[in-house]
mmCIF file of all heavy atoms in Angstrom:
data_model
loop_
_atom_site.group_PDB
_atom_site.id
_atom_site.type_symbol
_atom_site.label_atom_id
_atom_site.label_comp_id
_atom_site.label_asym_id
_atom_site.label_seq_id
_atom_site.Cartn_x
_atom_site.Cartn_y
_atom_site.Cartn_z
ATOM 1 N N GLU A 189 -4.746 6.712 6.459
ATOM 2 C CA GLU A 189 -5.437 6.840 5.206
ATOM 3 C C GLU A 189 -4.600 6.662 3.998
ATOM 4 O O GLU A 189 -5.166 6.370 2.905
ATOM 5 C CB GLU A 189 -6.068 8.290 5.168
ATOM 6 C CG GLU A 189 -5.021 9.447 5.214
ATOM 7 C CD GLU A 189 -5.564 10.810 5.165
ATOM 8 O OE1 GLU A 189 -6.761 11.003 5.228
ATOM 9 O OE2 GLU A 189 -4.768 11.704 4.930
ATOM 10 N N ASN A 190 -3.374 6.662 4.136
ATOM 11 C CA ASN A 190 -2.509 6.500 2.929
ATOM 12 C C ASN A 190 -2.030 4.915 2.827
ATOM 13 O O ASN A 190 -1.422 4.488 1.823
ATOM 14 C CB ASN A 190 -1.194 7.261 3.147
ATOM 15 C CG ASN A 190 -1.412 8.650 3.024
ATOM 16 O OD1 ASN A 190 -2.164 9.213 2.072
ATOM 17 N ND2 ASN A 190 -0.800 9.501 3.830
ATOM 18 N N LEU A 191 -2.505 4.084 3.778
ATOM 19 C CA LEU A 191 -2.243 2.684 3.662
ATOM 20 C C LEU A 191 -3.409 2.045 2.703
ATOM 21 O O LEU A 191 -4.533 1.986 3.227
ATOM 22 C CB LEU A 191 -2.177 1.968 4.960
ATOM 23 C CG LEU A 191 -2.033 0.463 4.941
ATOM 24 C CD1 LEU A 191 -0.632 0.211 4.341
ATOM 25 C CD2 LEU A 191 -2.195 -0.158 6.339
ATOM 26 N N LEU A 192 -3.060 1.927 1.378
ATOM 27 C CA LEU A 192 -4.119 1.511 0.509
ATOM 28 C C LEU A 192 -4.399 0.052 0.603
ATOM 29 O O LEU A 192 -5.526 -0.453 0.381
ATOM 30 C CB LEU A 192 -3.658 1.914 -0.847
ATOM 31 C CG LEU A 192 -3.320 3.397 -1.005
ATOM 32 C CD1 LEU A 192 -2.958 3.706 -2.526
ATOM 33 C CD2 LEU A 192 -4.482 4.320 -0.647
ATOM 34 N N VAL A 193 -3.416 -0.815 0.920
ATOM 35 C CA VAL A 193 -3.481 -2.215 1.021
ATOM 36 C C VAL A 193 -2.802 -2.677 2.233
ATOM 37 O O VAL A 193 -1.533 -2.475 2.264
ATOM 38 C CB VAL A 193 -3.082 -2.916 -0.280
ATOM 39 C CG1 VAL A 193 -3.288 -4.489 -0.098
ATOM 40 C CG2 VAL A 193 -3.721 -2.439 -1.561
ATOM 41 N N GLY A 194 -3.428 -3.372 3.192
ATOM 42 C CA GLY A 194 -2.739 -4.069 4.320
ATOM 43 C C GLY A 194 -2.858 -5.453 4.270
ATOM 44 O O GLY A 194 -3.048 -6.081 3.094
ATOM 45 N N PHE A 195 -2.698 -6.164 5.432
ATOM 46 C CA PHE A 195 -2.824 -7.612 5.418
ATOM 47 C C PHE A 195 -4.263 -8.099 5.761
ATOM 48 O O PHE A 195 -4.485 -9.361 5.895
ATOM 49 C CB PHE A 195 -1.825 -8.212 6.361
ATOM 50 C CG PHE A 195 -1.941 -8.047 7.811
ATOM 51 C CD1 PHE A 195 -3.032 -8.680 8.474
ATOM 52 C CD2 PHE A 195 -1.214 -7.126 8.543
ATOM 53 C CE1 PHE A 195 -3.203 -8.409 9.909
ATOM 54 C CE2 PHE A 195 -1.404 -6.907 9.776
ATOM 55 C CZ PHE A 195 -2.381 -7.483 10.474
ATOM 56 N N ASP A 196 -5.132 -7.209 5.720
ATOM 57 C CA ASP A 196 -6.577 -7.623 6.179
ATOM 58 C C ASP A 196 -7.178 -8.474 5.157
ATOM 59 O O ASP A 196 -8.146 -9.136 5.539
ATOM 60 C CB ASP A 196 -7.369 -6.335 6.447
ATOM 61 C CG ASP A 196 -7.394 -5.391 5.292
ATOM 62 O OD1 ASP A 196 -6.285 -5.183 4.686
ATOM 63 O OD2 ASP A 196 -8.455 -4.871 4.938
ATOM 64 N N LYS A 197 -6.861 -8.482 3.903
ATOM 65 C CA LYS A 197 -7.536 -9.300 2.858
ATOM 66 C C LYS A 197 -6.463 -10.266 2.251
ATOM 67 O O LYS A 197 -6.623 -10.669 1.205
ATOM 68 C CB LYS A 197 -8.156 -8.397 1.764
ATOM 69 C CG LYS A 197 -9.337 -7.756 2.281
ATOM 70 C CD LYS A 197 -10.209 -7.134 1.216
ATOM 71 C CE LYS A 197 -11.483 -6.510 1.724
ATOM 72 N NZ LYS A 197 -12.297 -5.850 0.686
ATOM 73 N N SER A 198 -5.397 -10.596 2.997
ATOM 74 C CA SER A 198 -4.406 -11.568 2.508
ATOM 75 C C SER A 198 -3.821 -11.309 1.101
ATOM 76 O O SER A 198 -3.757 -12.143 0.375
ATOM 77 C CB SER A 198 -5.109 -12.958 2.533
ATOM 78 O OG SER A 198 -5.655 -13.229 3.800
ATOM 79 N N ASP A 199 -3.524 -10.037 0.899
ATOM 80 C CA ASP A 199 -3.032 -9.623 -0.438
ATOM 81 C C ASP A 199 -1.495 -9.994 -0.507
ATOM 82 O O ASP A 199 -0.960 -10.441 0.447
ATOM 83 C CB ASP A 199 -3.317 -8.219 -0.678
ATOM 84 C CG ASP A 199 -3.812 -8.033 -2.075
ATOM 85 O OD1 ASP A 199 -3.264 -8.544 -2.958
ATOM 86 O OD2 ASP A 199 -4.880 -7.323 -2.171
ATOM 87 N N ASP A 200 -1.020 -9.768 -1.749
ATOM 88 C CA ASP A 200 0.375 -10.297 -2.049
ATOM 89 C C ASP A 200 1.339 -9.196 -1.428
ATOM 90 O O ASP A 200 2.532 -9.655 -1.234
ATOM 91 C CB ASP A 200 0.525 -10.373 -3.546
ATOM 92 C CG ASP A 200 -0.310 -11.489 -4.068
ATOM 93 O OD1 ASP A 200 -0.155 -12.600 -3.779
ATOM 94 O OD2 ASP A 200 -1.126 -11.038 -4.972
ATOM 95 N N ALA A 201 1.057 -7.965 -1.310
ATOM 96 C CA ALA A 201 1.929 -6.945 -0.768
ATOM 97 C C ALA A 201 1.203 -5.810 -0.167
ATOM 98 O O ALA A 201 -0.035 -5.767 -0.412
ATOM 99 C CB ALA A 201 2.835 -6.487 -1.911
ATOM 100 N N SER A 202 1.851 -5.041 0.583
ATOM 101 C CA SER A 202 1.302 -3.896 1.215
ATOM 102 C C SER A 202 1.503 -2.703 0.149
ATOM 103 O O SER A 202 2.439 -2.763 -0.545
ATOM 104 C CB SER A 202 1.842 -3.516 2.489
ATOM 105 O OG SER A 202 3.166 -3.260 2.449
ATOM 106 N N VAL A 203 0.594 -1.776 0.166
ATOM 107 C CA VAL A 203 0.658 -0.600 -0.748
ATOM 108 C C VAL A 203 0.402 0.772 0.146
ATOM 109 O O VAL A 203 -0.504 0.851 0.807
ATOM 110 C CB VAL A 203 -0.293 -0.610 -1.837
ATOM 111 C CG1 VAL A 203 -0.101 0.632 -2.728
ATOM 112 C CG2 VAL A 203 -0.188 -1.959 -2.672
ATOM 113 N N TYR A 204 1.386 1.670 0.022
ATOM 114 C CA TYR A 204 1.347 2.874 0.898
ATOM 115 C C TYR A 204 1.396 4.035 -0.264
ATOM 116 O O TYR A 204 2.369 4.180 -1.018
ATOM 117 C CB TYR A 204 2.401 2.963 1.862
ATOM 118 C CG TYR A 204 2.138 4.154 2.767
ATOM 119 C CD1 TYR A 204 1.483 3.940 3.880
ATOM 120 C CD2 TYR A 204 2.804 5.318 2.625
ATOM 121 C CE1 TYR A 204 1.218 4.967 4.805
ATOM 122 C CE2 TYR A 204 2.603 6.422 3.496
ATOM 123 C CZ TYR A 204 1.923 6.125 4.567
ATOM 124 O OH TYR A 204 1.701 7.184 5.556
ATOM 125 N N LYS A 205 0.465 4.974 -0.174
ATOM 126 C CA LYS A 205 0.334 6.105 -1.011
ATOM 127 C C LYS A 205 1.295 7.209 -0.464
ATOM 128 O O LYS A 205 1.310 7.670 0.607
ATOM 129 C CB LYS A 205 -1.052 6.719 -1.109
ATOM 130 C CG LYS A 205 -1.217 7.898 -2.025
ATOM 131 C CD LYS A 205 -2.700 8.311 -1.898
ATOM 132 C CE LYS A 205 -2.847 9.648 -2.751
ATOM 133 N NZ LYS A 205 -4.354 10.017 -2.796
ATOM 134 N N VAL A 206 2.252 7.600 -1.466
ATOM 135 C CA VAL A 206 3.196 8.629 -1.119
ATOM 136 C C VAL A 206 2.670 10.017 -1.725
ATOM 137 O O VAL A 206 2.785 10.930 -1.041
ATOM 138 C CB VAL A 206 4.570 8.256 -1.699
ATOM 139 C CG1 VAL A 206 5.601 9.508 -1.535
ATOM 140 C CG2 VAL A 206 5.141 7.061 -1.176
ATOM 141 N N SER A 207 2.133 9.915 -2.914
ATOM 142 C CA SER A 207 1.568 11.171 -3.572
ATOM 143 C C SER A 207 0.405 10.696 -4.400
ATOM 144 O O SER A 207 0.093 9.558 -4.519
ATOM 145 C CB SER A 207 2.672 11.897 -4.350
ATOM 146 O OG SER A 207 2.911 11.154 -5.512
ATOM 147 N N ASP A 208 -0.250 11.695 -5.082
ATOM 148 C CA ASP A 208 -1.253 11.277 -5.953
ATOM 149 C C ASP A 208 -0.787 10.635 -7.236
ATOM 150 O O ASP A 208 -1.557 9.945 -8.057
ATOM 151 C CB ASP A 208 -1.976 12.638 -6.544
ATOM 152 C CG ASP A 208 -2.774 13.296 -5.421
ATOM 153 O OD1 ASP A 208 -3.203 12.664 -4.329
ATOM 154 O OD2 ASP A 208 -3.055 14.504 -5.492
ATOM 155 N N GLU A 209 0.587 10.594 -7.423
ATOM 156 C CA GLU A 209 1.089 9.863 -8.524
ATOM 157 C C GLU A 209 1.929 8.619 -8.212
ATOM 158 O O GLU A 209 2.330 7.898 -9.147
ATOM 159 C CB GLU A 209 2.064 10.902 -9.425
ATOM 160 C CG GLU A 209 1.368 12.050 -9.848
ATOM 161 C CD GLU A 209 0.297 11.802 -10.840
ATOM 162 O OE1 GLU A 209 0.477 10.878 -11.669
ATOM 163 O OE2 GLU A 209 -0.792 12.544 -10.881
ATOM 164 N N LEU A 210 2.173 8.321 -6.900
ATOM 165 C CA LEU A 210 3.068 7.348 -6.553
ATOM 166 C C LEU A 210 2.576 6.628 -5.345
ATOM 167 O O LEU A 210 2.274 7.290 -4.384
ATOM 168 C CB LEU A 210 4.533 7.949 -6.388
ATOM 169 C CG LEU A 210 5.446 7.007 -5.896
ATOM 170 C CD1 LEU A 210 5.847 5.862 -6.931
ATOM 171 C CD2 LEU A 210 6.820 7.656 -5.488
ATOM 172 N N ALA A 211 2.700 5.291 -5.299
ATOM 173 C CA ALA A 211 2.432 4.539 -4.128
ATOM 174 C C ALA A 211 3.610 3.453 -4.093
ATOM 175 O O ALA A 211 4.105 3.039 -5.224
ATOM 176 C CB ALA A 211 1.183 3.826 -4.216
ATOM 177 N N LEU A 212 4.029 3.158 -2.934
ATOM 178 C CA LEU A 212 5.000 2.082 -2.601
ATOM 179 C C LEU A 212 4.407 0.769 -2.448
ATOM 180 O O LEU A 212 3.351 0.576 -1.743
ATOM 181 C CB LEU A 212 5.874 2.503 -1.426
ATOM 182 C CG LEU A 212 6.615 3.738 -1.361
ATOM 183 C CD1 LEU A 212 7.446 3.766 -0.097
ATOM 184 C CD2 LEU A 212 7.758 3.690 -2.629
ATOM 185 N N VAL A 213 4.938 -0.261 -3.068
ATOM 186 C CA VAL A 213 4.364 -1.674 -2.974
ATOM 187 C C VAL A 213 5.621 -2.377 -2.209
ATOM 188 O O VAL A 213 6.725 -2.439 -2.736
ATOM 189 C CB VAL A 213 4.098 -2.347 -4.272
ATOM 190 C CG1 VAL A 213 3.521 -3.709 -4.094
ATOM 191 C CG2 VAL A 213 3.266 -1.367 -5.137
ATOM 192 N N GLN A 214 5.376 -3.046 -1.121
ATOM 193 C CA GLN A 214 6.354 -3.780 -0.320
ATOM 194 C C GLN A 214 5.882 -5.223 -0.121
ATOM 195 O O GLN A 214 4.823 -5.451 0.353
ATOM 196 C CB GLN A 214 6.611 -2.923 0.915
ATOM 197 C CG GLN A 214 7.392 -1.552 0.655
ATOM 198 C CD GLN A 214 7.909 -1.074 1.923
ATOM 199 O OE1 GLN A 214 7.173 -0.895 2.935
ATOM 200 N NE2 GLN A 214 9.105 -0.668 1.914
ATOM 201 N N THR A 215 6.940 -6.042 -0.225
ATOM 202 C CA THR A 215 6.736 -7.381 0.074
ATOM 203 C C THR A 215 8.035 -8.055 0.497
ATOM 204 O O THR A 215 9.127 -7.505 0.461
ATOM 205 C CB THR A 215 6.250 -8.199 -1.188
ATOM 206 O OG1 THR A 215 5.936 -9.451 -0.754
ATOM 207 C CG2 THR A 215 7.300 -8.208 -2.266
ATOM 208 N N VAL A 216 7.910 -9.260 1.151
ATOM 209 C CA VAL A 216 9.105 -10.080 1.663
ATOM 210 C C VAL A 216 8.744 -11.510 1.430
ATOM 211 O O VAL A 216 7.670 -11.970 1.724
ATOM 212 C CB VAL A 216 9.474 -9.749 3.079
ATOM 213 C CG1 VAL A 216 8.311 -10.053 3.999
ATOM 214 C CG2 VAL A 216 10.716 -10.379 3.471
#
């Protein structure tokens, strides 16, 4: 539920929610 963006829609990076104020954006 905290994975806000995965690779299912070919997006530029993944986004994981850490808290209500912060999410991590990761790419390579």
Side-chain angles (χ1 to χ4, degrees):
E189 62 180 10
N190 291 316
L191 181 63
L192 305 181
V193 180
F195 67 77
D196 53 316
K197 290 192 176 179
S198 306
D199 226 312
D200 297 299
S202 61
V203 183
Y204 191 87
K205 181 179 177 181
V206 177
S207 70
D208 291 340
E209 302 294 325
L210 177 67
L212 296 181
V213 188
Q214 291 194 307
T215 186
V216 60

